[in-house]
Amino acid sequence: MHIWLMVLLMILGLAVPGGIARAADVESVDYGAFKMMVRQGQIGEATVGPRRIEARTRSEPPRTVTTVLVPDAALVPLLERHEVTIRGEAVGGGGGGDWAIWLLPVMALLLIWGLWGGSRQAQPPGGVAGFGRSRARVVLPGAPQTTSFRDVAGVPEAKAELAEVVDFLREPDRYTGLGGRLPRGILLVGPPGTGKTLLAKAVAGEAGVPFFALSGSEFVELFVGVGAGRVRDLFRQAREKAPCVIFIDELDALGRVRASHPMAVNEERDQTLNQLLAEMDGFDSVAPVMVLSATNRPEVLDPALLRPGRFDRQVTVDRPDQIGREQILRVHAAKVRLGDDVKLAELARRTTGMSGAELANVINEGALLAGRARRPAVTMPDLSAALERVVAGLERPHLVLDPGERHRVSVHESGHALAACLLPGADPVARVSLVPRGTSGLGYTWQLPEGEKRLFTRSNLLDRVCVLLAGRAAEELVLGEPSTGSADDLQRATDMVRALICQAGLGEQLGQQAFASPDRFMPGSRGALPMGISEATAARIDGEVQSTLETAAARVRGLMSERLATLCRLAQVLREQEQLEGEQVRAIVAEAGWQERRAA
Ligand code: ADP
């Protein structure tokens, strides 16, 4: 950026004084007057530019006159007759005195371009021409970043499926020789952080071929046609290096259903997508180019992308189960020095639902904590603390609550914990804490699923909604009124109930119909309803969401008011100890329950 600024200042410094001085000396005359001056023998020298003629008189001192250039075949013979020295100027070289006038805007444009380019580190060299170039990151075989299947753990099905792709890349003839057609596109479907990028890289690494990686959102630009240019360029580069692997992350950013709404904004994305489809149909080179792509929302993709010959194979990359988590932890733990007390199987048990990326993060955070404490190896307490950090966010030791707020937070969290102990559909409590963590929470209740749960019934889900609403219910019962502390709980409870009704069809009144997911909303059109939902249905959905939430709130309030003594005891112990483990919470609830039952 500084270089651009300096260049501009230099040009201004050179150009402007000269330009102003010249403008003062130069006399502009019309073409007829100029010819008259030639005939009268006043002109000694003429420089004919593409648009202007600049001439010097024979007078002493000489004057400079300029005139516009008029197509006139008689001019040159006239000049010759009067012995005027004729100088030419190359087209595009500029017309003498006015060069500063066009140079300034050009330099200003270049300056803007420079500033823009400076903020985009990934831009390849090539200035204006580089605009339509693909910005793919390339990993060539043998580079230090190459990855193999050994680096990917916990996703055995996906690995087995992709092992075949490695074969296609290594020995395409074995398949094409028999008349088979190699697949071109493979769609990796799964939540973020489950190792889709890693798998694609490993395919390239195992096959020993170049790997081109780009994100779908990097194609979509403001200017129509740029994305399509990038797709073309990417495939051109890839074909030159075939066999190779192209990886497009976030395919949904560019491959959404075309023209889902009638706004011109979509034009660029449509063109880009069309170009991608054309490229995928087009390459029939001898050496294969495999296009691997990742998304976590295959349902929003344009059906044209999923047709045979394009992304016709789908590989699911799901969150790992307990064994998978242990394997992933092992892969990442191999990079750090572990203490003897570390039990990765135990850590795997406590990380239900986490993705590979989160597990990698736990190990890394653990290593950083051990480093901070200058320990020679990473211990189990380091990893436990790291796990809590990843789940609940960083501790905020400087945030000190006043006693009133602390009391409220203890009641709120005790409400969540008590409800989680009492409701069978809720995950058991692992820890309740008054240590503020993360960006919003002043305390937190951490629940941990017992096993891998993939299906939920209506009552399971409603129990979970009750646990979310329990913090507010506890505040109401013990302190008389709720506070803003429940805002996040309410949002999550509402989202859960809406999904229960609209996506799972588990609503009581609306029953068995899937109402469009938010993805099908038409963006941009204000107040528009999802496709296929009438205003009357929307009102019924809103009504049912509200009544379900109210019923759940009443239920949890009833549950709490029956055990008010337990709730208060839990809050008190929590205030005293700041943090309670799951077993401690369950012990207090069981003990108080026994006392209450005896009293009754
Ligand atoms: P995705 O592309 O699915 O969002 P990534 O492949 O980018 O996820 O994963 C991010 C990081 O998480 C990887 O670089 C790796 O360190 C770790 N990771 C994720 N899944 C796995 C896995 N199955 N095995 C080992 N490491 C994993």
Side-chain angles (χ1 to χ4, degrees), residues 151-153 155 191-198 328 332 356-357 360:
D151 301 311
V152 195
V155 280
T194 45
K196 298 182 290 295
T197 312
L198 200 63
I328 295 176
H332 291 279

